Amino acid sequence: MNAVSSPVDLAIAVSSADHVLGPAGAHATVVEYGDFECPTCRQAAPAVKLLLQRFSDQARFAYRHFPLEDPHPHALLAAEAAECAASQGKFWEMHDLIFENQGHLELADLHGYARRLRLDMIRFAKELEGHEHLHVVREHMEGGRRSHVRATPGFFVNGTIVDVSFGMRALFDATEAALTGR
């Protein structure tokens, strides 16, 4: 396991404001700071699903936005689109669609994904074009900076940062160690 040894690296604890999959009483909480235009984040998404299947009753997962705006010019708007979908109860569906179509994140594409999800398009367009959820994305980004996230994906298990630069196995190992007390 390649984890930093400090007791807690995650600056902001998971709360009801987060987008979470898995049981609230889970013994392991995995947090990702991700970027919808980041190829590595896209590759990590299926591994996270496998992790949740493997530790189904014992782990939960929270996704937070950390768009790297310079190298990924569409990531911020994609994060906002996911938040617009979240306001209609469809965050995870939009999350998955955006990653599946990562090369197509222009405004028209995001509207197309919203239509596929049967969102209220007037509301979606108003919220997205008015940047009504930008503050949520910026709060996630600030939390990531305070947690010393420097690249995406940035993963934490029970508050401790996990280095996945050599592969997602480190995330599985850190989760298993958190569950077994190792």
Side-chain angles (χ1 to χ4, degrees):
M1 178 178 76
N2 296 328
V4 175
S5 60
S6 62
V8 176
D9 299 307
L10 187 65
I12 300 171
V14 173
S15 73
S16 61
D18 283 296
H19 304 293
V20 178
L21 293 173
H27 297 291
T29 298
V30 177
V31 175
E32 176 186 359
Y33 281 92
D35 173 327
F36 284 121
E37 203 170 359
C38 165
T40 309
C41 292
R42 180 181 183 196
Q43 292 172 346
V48 168
K49 286 183 180 186
L50 286 173
L51 182 132
L52 289 172
Q53 288 172 0
R54 180 170 175 197
F55 303 111
S56 62
D57 293 334
Q58 304 167 355
R60 67 181 176 155
F61 172 70
Y63 182 89
R64 293 179 177 166
H65 304 288
F66 200 79
L68 302 173
E69 297 175 73
D70 288 336
H72 303 140
H74 303 99
L76 181 62
L77 191 61
E80 288 184 77
E83 288 302 316
C84 293
S87 75
Q88 297 187 43
K90 300 267 182 147
F91 173 81
W92 291 108
E93 294 87 344
M94 183 64 87
H95 168 279
D96 292 350
L97 266 177
I98 290 171
F99 275 132
E100 288 167 16
N101 298 282
Q102 190 177 61
H104 305 283
L105 299 178
E106 299 286 342
L107 181 61
D109 300 315
L110 298 171
H111 279 266
Y113 307 145
R115 277 191 293 282
R116 277 176 65 182
L117 295 176
R118 299 177 188 247
L119 298 180
D120 175 333
M121 289 306 298
I122 293 171
R123 179 178 167 188
F124 179 85
K126 179 181 178 245
E127 289 178 1
L128 186 59
E129 290 158 24
H131 303 286
E132 289 187 26
H133 302 286
L134 179 60
H135 70 282
V136 173
V137 177
R138 294 286 187 214
E139 287 170 5
H140 286 189
M141 293 169 70
E142 179 57 25
R145 282 190 286 276
R146 288 179 47 208
S147 301
H148 308 288
V149 173
R150 300 215 185 333
T152 55
F155 283 103
F156 297 80
V157 174
N158 286 356
T160 301
I161 198 163
V162 177
D163 179 1
V164 296
S165 58
F166 294 105
M168 293 298 290
R169 182 79 217 159
L171 186 63
F172 280 76
D173 292 346
T175 303
E176 189 168 32
L179 292 171
T180 62
R182 289 187 281 138

